[in-house]
Amino acid sequence: IGYLLIGTDNTARKQVEEERKTLDQRLRDQQFYTRSLIESNIDALMATDQRGIMTDVNKQMEALTGCTRDELIGSPFKNHFTDPARAEAGINRVLTEGKVTNYELTACARDGTLTVVSYNATTFHDRNRSLQGVFAAARDVTELKRFEKTLTQKNVELEHASRMKSEFLA
């Protein structure tokens, strides 16, 4: 009769487990930080794959389209605009040129609300520099367009009044 005692040093394993927990927490914190940045943006943000299928959106994109995040992810980007061919051309232009700025589109929400947006986009790549898709922002410029239209109308009225004054004085 005897006793057998085998001891193992678990210090290294415990240390690795603690480091892993720390790294996992840092990763979760970084993901939360990144998501917070995306959600806090005032513009509607979206990412698409190379075929123009949405892979991520923020709350502002949900508000712009009247669709939920789950409904938007996996749907074609072009389906949420009044001119799908122009929207698709915007994506293709980004893919060929690398970026697009101030590309005007009109978003059509589920309830029929139309919103003129300035679409700005660029391509994004993975760590190996392989093209992953398009990252885009859509800024609501509806009020700006309305203001420009009013300003143009007022200028026409002023020109007409000036012409009338000149004719009267002549």
Side-chain angles (χ1 to χ4, degrees):
I1 297 175
Y3 293 96
L4 176 62
L5 178 62
I6 299 175
T8 57
D9 185 2
N10 291 331
T11 306
R13 185 177 55 83
K14 293 274 188 191
Q15 187 177 10
V16 168
E17 287 175 1
E18 285 301 316
E19 287 175 5
R20 181 175 177 177
K21 284 181 186 177
T22 302
L23 289 174
D24 286 348
Q25 184 59 47
R26 285 176 56 196
L27 178 61
R28 282 191 299 277
D29 291 345
Q30 185 63 41
Q31 289 171 334
F32 179 79
Y33 173 76
T34 302
R35 190 80 224 165
S36 295
L37 288 177
I38 291 169
E39 293 300 338
S40 67
N41 198 303
I42 62 170
D43 295 333
L45 300 178
M46 72 226 67
T48 71
D49 63 15
Q50 296 175 46
R51 298 171 298 136
I53 304 299
M54 288 194 270
T55 58
D56 197 6
V57 297
N58 67 350
K59 296 264 185 231
Q60 289 74 2
M61 187 64 180
E62 291 181 65
L64 181 68
T65 62
C67 297
T68 66
R69 186 169 193 264
D70 288 337
E71 291 169 327
L72 290 168
I73 293 175
S75 71
F77 169 78
K78 66 181 181 178
N79 289 357
H80 303 282
F81 296 90
T82 56
D83 187 348
R86 181 166 168 72
E88 186 171 28
I91 292 278
N92 292 334
R93 187 168 158 197
V94 175
L95 291 170
T96 57
E97 297 176 15
K99 71 175 185 174
V100 68
T101 56
N102 298 323
Y103 190 84
E104 194 173 296
L105 293 169
T106 303
C108 183
R110 177 178 283 163
D111 65 3
T113 303
L114 300 179
T115 307
V116 180
V117 297
S118 175
Y119 170 73
N120 297 283
T122 186
T123 55
F124 68 96
H125 302 78
D126 66 11
R127 194 174 283 208
N128 298 320
R129 300 190 189 268
S130 297
L131 179 65
Q132 295 299 299
V134 173
F135 182 73
R139 175 161 291 176
D140 183 350
V141 293
T142 305
E143 286 300 315
L144 178 64
K145 289 295 176 185
R146 199 171 292 138
F147 176 75
E148 286 175 353
K149 183 178 179 182
T150 302
L151 186 61
T152 301
Q153 289 172 343
K154 293 297 179 190
N155 282 338
V156 168
E157 290 173 12
L158 285 172
E159 287 174 13
H160 178 66
S162 179
R163 223 177 8 257
M164 295 298 285
K165 177 185 167 192
S166 296
E167 288 176 11
F168 175 75
L169 291 175

